[in-house]
Amino acid sequence: MSAPGEDYGGLAPDEYARVLEMLGRRPNAVELGIFAAMWSEHCSYKSSKKWLRTLPTDGPRVLQGPGENAGAVDIGGGLAAVFKMESHNHPSFIEPYQGAATGVGGILRDVFTMGARPVAILNALRFGAPDHEATRRLAAGVVAGIGGYGNCVGVPTVGGECSFHPAYNGNILVNAMAVGIAPADRLFRSAAAGVGNAVVYVGSRTGRDGIHGATMASATFDDEAEQQRPTVQVGDPFTGKLLIEACLELMGTDAIVAIQDMGAAGLTSSAFEMASKGGLGVALDLDRVPQREEGMSAYEIMLSESQERMLMVLRPGGEEAAEAVFRKWGLEFAVIGRLTDTGRMVLSQHGRPAADLPIRPLADGSPEYDRPWTRTPPAPHATISPDNRDPVAALRTVLGGPAGASRRWIWEQYDHTVMGDTVGGPGGDAAVVRIHGTARGLALTSDCTPRYCLADPVEGGRQAVAEAWRNLTAVGARPLAVTDNLNFGDPERPEVMGQFVGCIEGMGEACRALDVPVVSGNVSLYNETNGRAVLPTPVVGAVGLLDDLAARTGMALPGPGVALVLVGETRGHLGRSLWLETVEGREEGPPPPVDLAAERRNGDFVRAEIRAGRVAACHDLSDGGLLIAAAEMALAGGVGATLRPPLDDAVAGLFGEDQARYLLAVEDPEDVLERAAAAGVPASRIGGTGGSALTVEGHSSISLDELRDLHEAWMPAWIAGG
Amino acid sequence: MKAVVIVFPGSNCDRDARVALEAATGRPAAMVWHGDPDLPPADLVVLPGGFSYGDYLRPGAMASRSPVMQAVIRAARRGVRVLGICNGFQVLTECGLLPGALLRNAGLRFVCRPVTLRVETADSAFTGGYRPGDALRMPVAHHDGNYFADAGTLERLAGEDRIAFRYLDNPNGSAGDIAGILNGDRNVLGMMPHPERAADALLGGTDGRALFESLAA
Amino acid sequence: MKARVLVMPRSGVLDPQGKAVAQALAGLGFEGVAAARQGKVIELELAETDPAAAEAALAAMCERLLANPVIEDYTIEIA
Amino acid sequence: MKARVLVMPRSGVLDPQGKAVAQALAGLGFEGVAAARQGKVIELELAETDPAAAEAALAAMCERLLANPVIEDYTIEIA
Ligand SMILES: Nc1ncnc2c1ncn2[C@@H]1O[C@H](COP(=O)(O)OP(=O)(O)O)[C@@H](O)[C@H]1O
Ligand SMILES: [Mg+2]
């Protein structure tokens, strides 16, 4: 939630004035708390919605765009892929294990609330500098927490990303994405219907978890201050797993009219959203809410963020069967109210009215700001003197340091093989998860390059989408749609707002050009400490489809005697490159420009070649450029390779981060090159496989064993404190 | 062969086990809820992987006390084969069908990675499809797989040829690199690695398949 | 000198393990267990011989490592 | 009546958590920690009011569920 001001329970003065006008009286404490929660940045998207509306959200495959718990796209065979990404940045900074764990729990709920069985989790992590005093502890806790929840519920964590930068010292980012599969014609939604229908609470009991600290500190509530002190949310993945099974079991019947998980602002926002979407009212008896502790106030019950809870509207007569399902799974079940035709939310506790608020006006009347913003000035060109330093020495630095080192230490703590459908787990481009019981698969990835976004938000926004699209393409998948998690600093600062606006502009363009609508997402603002904002980090999570798992590829080189073909144009763009940052220690220059037409042309070409079975291995070029990609492919395949630098300036040719490029291992290069020429796609043969070393022609070489040790050593050594 | 898979609250490899069993036997496997006091007639009972009861208190502790386990113990005593994988192994040691205990991994972290196992004995219905010395690749995925037993027990296990598998690359600190053990009657096997996740070429290996096939034979 | 540190979930903080233990005990037929909470206990063997100094050192260890003040409370017991 | 059950790794049983605690304390500069062992503490709220009866019930709970005799010893403390 946003950082509320001191007065009016967190509302701005003009927002409070609007409350007075809407009610025609002063709100009581509970009502004020509800307004503050519903109109918080987190729940109302007041700073961002003007811009979110500019993103493309529709397409022939879209079954559900933004606005529900998760987005959904048609994946054929009568099935839908349901997915969304969400942040748990602030809670993870306060308590890394529980913050990350509850982040995973929350995003899983968003997905199974739609009627989908969760099949995969991804995570995008941003930590501060490795040598910052808090980073090690935070990283260890966050990774353990993500694993702790996902492993226990038995949903494989198949991919993600992780990077470090001092801008995250005071604000780490923990974004989790969940993907599920549902029958396409049985998606569940949250709009309440049927006056008189039961409003039902299921899951865990309500405690004083996560009630917003700053709101709690407001003048009205400091009576029993100690007792009311909010507590950190603790995840209970065991109950989470039971809740998944119980909900999916009940969803197999026709008992449910509408369902909504209790996420941020708990019962308040779930009840409000269900009623307002259905144009109805709701009357709740708070005494019936299952409570973990004695003496909880109406305010606490309404604003608790206890985990593993859901709200449902049931069909008349469905209550008994539903209760039996939840009892069988050992979960709470309580009818806590009814839908009404009054259009109001009426709460009672201990037989007395506790709140009475109009639903539609509160929902529709939520503030929307057109925050002032300034466009990020173009980054001056970085002068990089061309020289012929040894590219292999630079490779050692990049691959053996925090930016380029293997993330194995992270993903080995995640069960990525449970559910028996992980065809491609972490360590490749996109992860590939089989659609259970079929020969088809989903390709999944998450990407963002914040250092590009900082230098040029529009290019950075474009690039995040393009890289995600490329990762899907690199395994042979057809990109379907994306979700996003927009992590930025304080939107009340025009520079930050300018970054936000720029990134969205770039993302929207790329989504249109690459035909991937945004079907869900999340915005996390105010990620800053003492006026220092995080790097603009619009993480893109993308989902693609493989119609035939046999026609896919991975990045492992297949063996000796295969040609390496570079697809896409190499200009040697070193501005904002990993090389410039890690080898030269300079964060300078504009990021590489993204040519969306070239992305599309090159990607469509590569995908067609993969599907035709002409590609033995493929890796898209991103962070670190060509030589890093070649090294990763050689390590994955356990076979060496020799590479000819594509430019005279070897460093620029090997480390430039020009976009829209792929490195392919192919049996018949002439054939592929001919086809590329016919399609207008730049491609050239730049080397071949063999031996047990990676060699740069005209320079030096490094054995795979040494390369592997370098690549694998950094992260475990760092965590161990070395 | 009639196989039964027990579902505890928090089991999460129950479906995976069923898929592998059905592929090997060509017959549907029955899923039995932990609260059932009885088992349907079966030749094989599988206790699947997962986090029964969240692994709270001790992994497998609460599951080993569920109603269905009394029936499983009786069946095992009658000679019905019982296979415990991962959390199922933990349940088997907790209920006393197998000796020893599974402690927290020596590295204190959850570990999910492919490991290499050496088949130590082919003398059981589970391992009859392998030869002693065979090296098998299959994944582990656990937080508490560090096998412990007192010296006497370890000696007896080895002396009675009851060590089914040892790790060649011990991922968790297990005593004697033990990855799986048999009971004295050789009809109960507990193992930490997941053979059901290594029974499909698409998922990167089929070394686990022979275990299910030899049970089905 | 031997010492013992007890680290418990703070009151109000959800304790899924304790909840599961209470339920399991009830399931086994143990009646009258109204609530259970689970924490950890760390037994330490200290070179320090002065109780007051030991207590101070233990408090520092709890603050820095043994307990997580956001969700846990600790108690120090010196033998 | 409140009671407390302490469950510790038996001597001779490897205690990776205790070992890690001792190492981490040394790493943080706490000297003179010769050894550390980590176990569990379970605090129970019992309906029983007779200490002897409570003790007997707790012993039964430990035997049946709370401790695993292969690896753990338990101690019962009644408030
Ligand atoms: N936090 C993480 N969780 C799981 N997998 C991760 C994580 N961080 C990185 N990975 C995996 O490591 C590999 C390399 O990541 P990255 O360099 O971001 O890939 P790319 O550049 O292809 O997008 C990917 O397979 C990714 O899924
Ligand atoms: Mg990639």
Side-chain angles (χ1 to χ4, degrees), chain B residues 81 161 191:
Chain B
R81 291 162 188 164
D161 190 29
M191 63 189 295

Side-chain angles (χ1 to χ4, degrees), chain B residues 57-58 61-62 65 93-94 100-101 103-106 108 146 148 173, chain D residues 12-14 16-17 20 40 42 63-68 70-72:
Chain B
L57 192 62
R58 292 182 310 279
M62 298 189 202
R65 276 81 171 162
T93 57
E94 278 284 343
L103 306 178
R104 180 56 41 107
N105 292 347
L108 299 179
N146 181 350
F148 167 85
Chain D
V13 174
L14 199 72
Q17 283 154 310
K40 288 188 276 267
I42 298 153
E63 298 290 339
R64 298 256 336 257
L65 179 71
L66 300 181
N68 178 347
V70 176
I71 46 173
E72 294 167 332

Side-chain angles (χ1 to χ4, degrees), chain B residues 116-200:
Chain B
T116 308
L117 305 180
R118 188 176 61 222
V119 177
E120 297 290 303
T121 178
D123 178 17
S124 79
F126 307 95
T127 55
Y130 303 108
R131 277 161 314 180
D134 278 356
L136 313 179
R137 288 283 280 177
M138 57 183 77
V140 292
H142 59 245
H143 210 159
D144 301 82
N146 181 350
Y147 185 73
F148 167 85
D150 58 45
T153 305
L154 290 174
E155 229 168 82
R156 192 151 39 83
L157 287 173
E160 295 172 2
D161 190 29
R162 287 166 55 190
I163 297 171
F165 307 105
R166 289 187 206 263
Y167 300 108
L168 293 184
D169 41 11
N170 190 339
N172 55 34
S174 270
D177 298 323
I178 288 175
I181 56 169
L182 293 158
N183 67 339
D185 291 336
R186 312 186 86 75
N187 68 320
V188 177
L189 170 69
M191 63 189 295
M192 288 313 294
H194 287 274
E196 83 282 18
R197 300 189 195 179
D200 181 340

Side-chain angles (χ1 to χ4, degrees), chain B residues 5-58:
Chain B
V5 178
I6 309 290
V7 184
F8 299 106
S11 290
N12 63 33
C13 306
D14 42 333
R15 188 185 80 179
D16 306 6
R18 189 181 72 193
V19 168
L21 285 166
E22 292 180 351
T25 63
R27 298 182 53 171
M31 309 301 276
V32 173
W33 184 238
H34 72 113
D36 292 357
D38 299 304
L39 279 178
D43 311 300
L44 171 69
V45 178
V46 177
L47 308 180
F51 283 71
S52 57
Y53 294 91
D55 270 5
Y56 297 147
L57 192 62
R58 292 182 310 279

Side-chain angles (χ1 to χ4, degrees), chain A residues 428-430 447 467 470-471 619-622:
Chain A
D429 281 319
D447 287 284
E467 186 180 344
R470 228 158 39 221
N471 274 321
H619 193 11
D620 78 304
L621 306 195
S622 54

